[in-house]
């Protein structure tokens, strides 16, 4: 059984271990998402975020160090579920642009989990007066938010429009058969 959470300090560490494990899962999942992405802009966005994620893990390492705790993860079932859903999605037979739109949706669900986690963590670190830890977590939070916004713009200006048109192309192909 896990140890009792007696204080906000304990909860901070608990949540830190959760997101640490989650980020580790994301680092493993992103290369598969890059491979499954069709649009070069989406591939580039995922590649950029993979690099960012590696940096985020380093910041988490620093945060653990500042708190005098070993950097350890605790299985994050929430992220495992989101990644599992993404995996199933990538096995689907889909039009390339529709697959891209679906990949963005999967990625944004992941981002929103991270935003929630880092948002809470930042609040705890602030209340507890851990300025440096707060700063590190704040940087991660900002990167997740920027990534989420970027994906929204990419979806709204390019990917979703192409996905919407995929249907027309399919119908035209059928008509010419
Ligand atoms: Fe992250
Ligand atoms: Fe992220």
């Amino acid at each position: 059984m896990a140890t009792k959470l007696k204080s906000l300090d304990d909860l901070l560490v608990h949540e830190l271990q959760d997101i640490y494990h989650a980020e580790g899962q994301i680092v493993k999942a992103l290369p598969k998402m890059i491979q499954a992405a069709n649009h070069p802009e989406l591939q580039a966005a995922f590649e950029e975020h993979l690099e960012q994620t590696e940096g985020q893990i380093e910041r988490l390492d620093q945060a653990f160090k500042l708190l005098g705790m070993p950097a350890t993860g605790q299985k994050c079932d929430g992220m495992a579920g989101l990644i599992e859903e993404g995996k199933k999605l990538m096995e689907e037979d889909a039009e390339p642009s529709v697959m891209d739109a679906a990949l963005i949706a999967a990625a944004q669900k992941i981002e929103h989990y991270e935003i929630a986690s880092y948002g809470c963590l930042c609040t705890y670190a602030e209340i507890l007066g851990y300025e440096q830890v707060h700063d590190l977590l704040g940087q991660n939070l900002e990167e997740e938010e920027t990534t989420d916004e970027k994906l929204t713009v990419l979806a709204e200006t390019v990917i979703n429009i192409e996905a919407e048109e995929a249907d027309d192309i399919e119908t035209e192909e059928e008509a010419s058969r």
Side-chain angles (χ1 to χ4, degrees), residues 79-106:
M79 189 54 69
L82 291 174
I83 287 174
E84 183 57 34
E85 278 193 11
K87 224 190 213 165
K88 278 191 203 148
L89 179 87
M90 289 187 274
E91 286 163 9
E92 298 267 354
D93 179 24
E95 281 295 320
S97 52
V98 177
M99 177 56 79
D100 282 353
L103 284 170
I104 290 184

Side-chain angles (χ1 to χ4, degrees), residues 41-42 45-46 100-101 103-109 111-112 115 143-161:
E41 273 189 66
L42 184 59
F46 284 159
D100 282 353
L103 284 170
I104 290 184
Q108 286 194 295
K109 286 175 192 171
E111 290 316 306
H112 281 240
I115 289 166
E143 283 180 353
E144 310 299 10
E145 284 173 341
T146 311
T147 301
D148 181 50
E149 281 159 25
K150 246 193 197 169
L151 289 172
T152 297
V153 172
L154 192 57
E156 288 180 353
T157 59
V158 184
I159 306 292
N160 290 353
I161 297 157

Side-chain angles (χ1 to χ4, degrees), residues 23 26 49 53 56 114 118 144:
E23 295 287 16
I26 294 166
H49 199 50
T53 304
Q56 291 173 352
E114 293 182 282
Y118 284 121
E144 310 299 10

Side-chain angles (χ1 to χ4, degrees), residues 29 46 53-54 96 101-102 107 127 131 172:
F46 284 159
T53 304
E54 283 160 359
I127 294 177
E131 263 179 55
E172 273 165 34

Side-chain angles (χ1 to χ4, degrees), residues 19 23-24 26-27 30-31 34 43-61 111 114-115 118 136-151:
I19 197 70
E23 295 287 16
I26 294 166
V27 159
L30 270 170
I34 294 167
Q43 279 181 340
F46 284 159
E47 270 163 17
E48 190 191 347
H49 199 50
L50 175 57
E51 228 170 89
Q52 276 179 337
T53 304
E54 283 160 359
Q56 291 173 352
I57 293 172
E58 280 172 28
R59 286 193 200 108
L60 291 177
D61 282 326
E111 290 316 306
E114 293 182 282
I115 289 166
Y118 284 121
L136 289 163
L137 297 170
Q139 288 176 53
N140 283 9
L141 175 61
E142 226 180 271
E143 283 180 353
E144 310 299 10
E145 284 173 341
T146 311
T147 301
D148 181 50
E149 281 159 25
K150 246 193 197 169
L151 289 172

Side-chain angles (χ1 to χ4, degrees), residues 26-41:
I26 294 166
V27 159
K28 283 190 206 134
L30 270 170
K32 291 170 201 151
M33 292 172 79
I34 294 167
Q35 252 191 345
N38 298 285
H39 201 288
E41 273 189 66

